[in-house]
Amino acid sequence: MDKLKKVLSGNDEDEEEGIVTQISNSTTLSWSTRIKGFIVCFVLGVSLSILGSCLLFLKDGLVIFAVLYTFGNVLSLTSTCFLMGPLNQLKKMFAKTRIIATLLVIVMFILTLVCAFALKNTALAIVCCVLQFVALTWYSLSYIPFARDAVKKCFGACLE
């Protein structure tokens, strides 16, 4: 509000700053707004995924299921942009340690929609959704130190 008052009163001292700095300063969100945005986006994403799962068994529910489930997961994934910012999120997503997990998640998003729209194969679309869930879980574990190693050891011990 202070910036608006400065501009309207003619005391615009920000002319020495670059345009990128001005845009960055005017679009920054407070921490409480970021938390609220994250929560709303995440809860909406989870709700859409659950709603899509419930609508699977309706007539022609496959396309609705695939779209709502995938869009819900995309929304949940992008909710973290509120916490760390979109550019930082992209940098972290495509970091060396999680690029494979990120690509798997994106491929599973696409395959789920292809199975629903183009192939219209219910069983394959459900398999893709399960694999989408597994890929998202693996991706999420990449943010917790040593979590993927612990899961590998756990499943390795179970298979012995």
Side-chain angles (χ1 to χ4, degrees):
M1 193 66 169
D2 292 327
K3 290 181 183 181
L4 181 61
K5 287 180 183 177
K6 283 182 191 178
V7 170
L8 293 175
S9 67
N11 293 334
D12 190 17
E13 301 168 357
D14 291 338
E15 287 184 21
E16 292 116 28
E17 293 180 357
I19 186 75
V20 175
T21 307
Q22 289 178 12
I23 291 171
S24 176
N25 289 340
S26 65
T27 59
T28 54
L29 301 173
S30 69
W31 185 246
S32 65
T33 304
R34 288 174 182 254
I35 295 293
K36 291 172 189 171
F38 166 76
I39 291 170
V40 167
C41 201
F42 186 78
V43 168
L44 185 62
V46 170
S47 300
L48 285 176
S49 294
I50 291 171
L51 179 64
S53 299
C54 293
L55 296 176
L56 173 63
F57 300 106
L58 294 177
K59 183 181 177 190
D60 297 327
L62 172 65
V63 173
I64 296 169
F65 161 69
V67 169
L68 289 179
Y69 187 81
T70 302
F71 184 67
N73 282 336
V74 169
L75 202 56
S76 296
L77 183 66
T78 57
S79 67
T80 56
C81 287
F82 282 101
L83 298 179
M84 63 180 79
L87 290 178
N88 197 14
Q89 170 79 10
L90 286 173
K91 285 178 188 176
K92 289 186 180 204
M93 284 177 72
F94 291 100
K96 184 180 173 183
T97 57
R98 65 181 63 91
I99 190 163
I100 293 172
T102 300
L103 292 176
L104 280 173
V105 168
I106 293 169
V107 165
M108 293 318 304
F109 287 159
I110 294 167
L111 283 178
T112 301
L113 295 174
V114 166
C115 289
F117 283 113
L119 302 178
K120 297 199 186 296
N121 187 333
T122 304
L124 199 54
I126 292 172
V127 167
C128 285
C129 284
V130 169
L131 292 174
Q132 188 182 124
F133 175 78
V134 170
L136 274 170
T137 302
W138 190 252
Y139 168 80
S140 298
L141 288 174
S142 71
Y143 284 96
I144 304 168
F146 306 109
R148 292 194 290 187
D149 293 333
V151 170
K152 286 180 192 176
K153 286 181 183 179
C154 181
F155 279 104
C158 292
L159 296 174
E160 289 180 1

